[in-house]
Amino acid sequence: MKFFDLLVQHFPTFISSMLITIEITAMALVIATILGIVFCLFKLSKYKVLQYITDVYIGIIRGTPLIVQILFIFLGISSVFHFKWDLMVASVLIMSLNAGAYMTELIRGGIEAVDKGQAEAARSLGLSYGQAMRKIVLPQAFRTMLPSIINQFIVTLKDTSLLSIIGVRELVQNTKIITANNMEAFNMYAIVGLYYWVIVTILSALAKMIERRTSYGK
Amino acid sequence: MASKIIVKNLNKSFGKLEVLKDVSTDIEEGEVVVVIGPSGSGKSTFLRCLNCLEEINGGTIIVDGFNLTDPKTNLNKVRRNIGMVFQHFNLFPHKTAKENVMLAPLTLKTMTKEEASKKADALLKQVGLSDKANIYPAQLSGGQKQRVAIARSLAMNPDVMLFDEPTSALDPEMVGEVLNVMKDLVKMGMTMVVVTHEMGFAREVGDRILFMDGGYIVEEGTPDQIINHPREPRTIDFLSKVL
């Protein structure tokens, strides 16, 4: 069958472009988590300015399509400041900023879901706000957030396909290049779909495993 | 005897709702003060003000010589000396019983790992739960959880213990075990402020009872005075409902 022939034939380029997809996603998710924690603390702080900054950030990211963000940062910013983006740097930056906004909301939800008594118990023992957050609240918040974080991971992974618009050779761009040559659009896009499906399925299974591991004595 | 806690003209509001109105009292070292009153009377809020879990709106609170209302006071330091036990235990679910007890001394670096471990073993033994050291809170009964919570709050060697309705969330057959642990603390001379509905406990180990209603301390006195010879109509009315 043609499908399997093409699958075997293009295996090497798909693997290398899959690694680019995963690399961008993984780096973006790490940075997005840090952004999420920082902006979430901004949002929960008593300073109105910080809360406002967070609202603006989330508002812009959620209010605009990812493809506009990609083009704005990659083409817009570089044309104003006269420089050329490194493709990987730009890709990670864009995906981080995008996922970071959603992570902020996600982490806030997780923190607010932790019983207030937990922080109170920690504070009553003499822990500072930061210590109570780090030792008591955040670990529990992450536990409840884990499914949503994995979900965000999956969403970001699939969203990296939009980076093909600026020529990043991730899975979709790789498929476009091959299809332009062999005209096998049906089979090639089925193949690339398969790659995404496999990664997402593995991630979901991994998520279930972690979830089971972190349920303390339940 | 020296005053351990001095409360002067304490005022506390939540928005427009005044919860505590000009509350004043002195608590001496080693004294066991039991706070009773109907729900909404402000007794829990009063207790939570004593370690500044609630920000107060007026008045002064001095604990152990530290003025809690002075912005220069390091509240985190003061709180180390004030243990608190909550109605809903508030154990850390991601830590075992022993880890719960060891958390504060380790995080605040007041003990080495060995010291903290030894201390936790001793405290768990004191509350009768040596065999539950490595169990997570989810697998403990309510009474056991509360006893771990008491051990946890003792880990920082506090000289004052605050109890916020420690037995209200327990099944009746578990109330006794928690009260027994508390009675042991009384025998050790701990200064205690206990918000409770356990009149038997109040009568047996309380040095003084405060009856609160509507944000005021309506009446205070020895257990005998308050329980057997109440003078205020509101105290009489409340006691007739709970006794």
Side-chain angles (χ1 to χ4, degrees):
Chain A
M1 242 181 88
K2 197 86 196 214
F3 179 86
F4 292 104
D5 294 342
L6 288 168
L7 187 67
V8 173
Q9 186 194 341
H10 295 289
F11 184 72
T13 62
F14 269 109
I15 289 299
S16 67
S17 58
M18 184 177 83
L19 286 178
I20 291 173
T21 293
I22 290 174
E23 197 183 334
I24 293 171
T25 309
M27 288 204 279
L29 254 295
V30 171
I31 299 171
T33 307
I34 297 167
L35 286 178
I37 292 172
V38 170
F39 279 103
C40 184
L41 292 176
F42 278 13
K43 183 78 194 176
L44 296 174
S45 83
K46 52 189 171 200
Y47 302 106
K48 282 261 155 31
V49 192
L50 297 181
Q51 294 176 15
Y52 185 71
I53 291 171
T54 309
D55 288 342
V56 170
Y57 168 53
I58 294 175
I60 289 173
I61 298 294
R62 279 214 302 211
T64 58
L66 176 55
I67 198 154
V68 173
Q69 295 162 19
I70 293 170
L71 294 171
F72 179 79
I73 290 178
F74 188 73
L75 299 177
I77 301 246
S78 62
S79 75
V80 169
F81 295 100
H82 305 292
F83 69 101
K84 203 172 177 311
W85 280 107
D86 177 89
L87 262 183
M88 279 306 269
V89 173
S91 302
V92 171
L93 177 77
I94 294 162
M95 297 314 290
S96 303
L97 284 174
N98 183 270
Y102 296 102
M103 288 292 268
T104 304
E105 289 291 64
L106 231 150
I107 293 170
R108 185 166 68 115
I111 288 175
E112 281 171 357
V114 176
D115 179 22
K116 268 183 109 174
Q118 291 290 311
E120 285 182 352
R123 296 307 299 276
S124 80
L125 289 165
L127 271 68
S128 66
Y129 174 81
Q131 288 168 329
M133 270 290 177
R134 268 201 315 279
K135 292 270 175 179
I136 305 302
V137 178
L138 287 177
Q140 291 180 62
F142 271 114
R143 163 91 184 84
T144 47
M145 283 182 301
L146 208 60
S148 334
I149 288 178
I150 300 284
N151 189 48
Q152 184 59 45
F153 201 162
I154 291 169
V155 169
T156 301
L157 180 102
K158 293 195 286 189
D159 279 353
T160 55
S161 59
L162 288 170
L163 291 168
S164 60
I165 194 96
I166 56 172
V168 180
R169 189 150 184 174
E170 43 67 63
L171 282 169
V172 170
Q173 179 67 4
N174 187 52
T175 317
K176 274 161 78 180
I177 291 168
I178 295 167
T179 311
N181 284 320
N182 67 7
M183 300 297 185
E184 287 284 352
F186 181 85
N187 284 322
M188 291 317 294
Y189 284 105
I191 288 172
V192 77
L194 182 69
Y195 274 94
Y196 279 109
W197 179 81
V198 169
I199 307 172
V200 170
T201 306
I202 292 172
L203 274 179
S204 307
L206 206 68
K208 278 225 177 81
M209 224 172 70
I210 299 170
E211 222 175 307
R212 229 175 295 133
R213 272 236 187 118
T214 48
S215 53
Y216 337 98
K218 272 179 199 149
Chain B
M1 273 211 262
S3 286
K4 201 78 186 164
I5 304 174
I6 302 166
V7 181
K8 260 193 216 136
N9 309 109
L10 168 61
N11 280 289
K12 166 74 191 168
S13 331
F14 291 112
K16 278 195 178 155
L17 182 73
E18 283 185 77
V19 190
L20 295 173
K21 299 161 193 162
D22 254 354
V23 172
S24 298
T25 190
D26 276 16
I27 295 167
E28 306 204 320
E29 197 167 342
E31 198 179 12
V32 177
V33 175
V34 178
V35 186
I36 60 170
S39 60
S41 60
K43 53 192 193 311
S44 278
T45 308
F46 168 68
L47 195 74
R48 291 161 57 83
C49 286
L50 297 183
N51 67 352
C52 274
L53 276 187
E54 300 291 350
E55 231 171 282
I56 69 173
N57 301 98
T60 32
I61 301 175
I62 296 167
V63 179
D64 254 346
F66 291 100
N67 186 347
L68 301 189
T69 37
D70 183 348
K72 275 177 284 185
T73 304
N74 183 344
L75 286 179
N76 296 331
K77 276 247 162 76
V78 179
R79 285 196 185 113
R80 294 181 189 185
N81 292 323
I82 311 173
M84 183 152 193
V85 174
F86 300 85
Q87 180 177 0
H88 296 289
F89 331 124
N90 299 356
L91 286 182
F92 308 133
H94 58 309
K95 308 265 178 203
T96 63
K98 189 170 170 181
E99 286 168 350
N100 263 275
V101 181
M102 289 168 65
L103 183 112
L106 286 184
T107 307
L108 301 171
K109 300 198 173 67
T110 58
M111 291 180 202
T112 65
K113 212 165 180 181
E114 292 77 45
E115 285 169 343
S117 168
K118 251 175 137 179
K119 176 92 186 164
D121 287 336
L123 285 170
L124 286 173
K125 193 172 171 216
Q126 182 182 332
V127 299
L129 290 172
S130 294
D131 55 326
K132 304 286 184 199
N134 298 318
I135 302 268
Y136 285 96
Q139 291 172 332
L140 296 172
S141 74
Q144 291 169 337
K145 279 183 200 161
Q146 196 59 299
R147 286 189 280 154
V148 172
I150 293 173
R152 178 180 67 180
S153 61
L154 289 170
M156 291 300 293
N157 296 314
D159 2 270
V160 178
M161 285 285 286
L162 309 176
F163 292 86
D164 188 4
E165 304 201 25
T167 58
S168 299
L170 297 176
D171 290 335
E173 76 268 24
M174 291 171 184
V175 170
E177 61 189 71
V178 171
L179 291 181
N180 285 335
V181 169
M182 290 168 65
K183 284 175 194 165
D184 289 342
L185 284 178
V186 174
K187 282 184 207 137
M188 292 159 76
M190 180 68 76
T191 309
M192 290 166 58
V193 185
V194 185
V195 172
T196 189
H197 297 292
E198 294 295 328
M199 299 308 283
F201 177 83
R203 198 196 310 253
E204 195 181 329
V205 301
D207 293 313
R208 182 153 54 109
I209 295 183
L210 305 183
F211 172 71
M212 290 186 72
D213 192 21
Y216 296 99
I217 296 179
V218 175
E219 192 171 356
E220 61 179 298
T222 63
D224 179 56
Q225 280 169 345
I226 300 292
I227 297 173
N228 301 329
H229 312 286
R231 276 177 310 206
E232 295 287 332
R234 277 189 284 179
T235 317
I236 297 167
D237 180 52
F238 174 74
L239 289 171
S240 71
K241 283 172 191 154
V242 297
L243 286 180

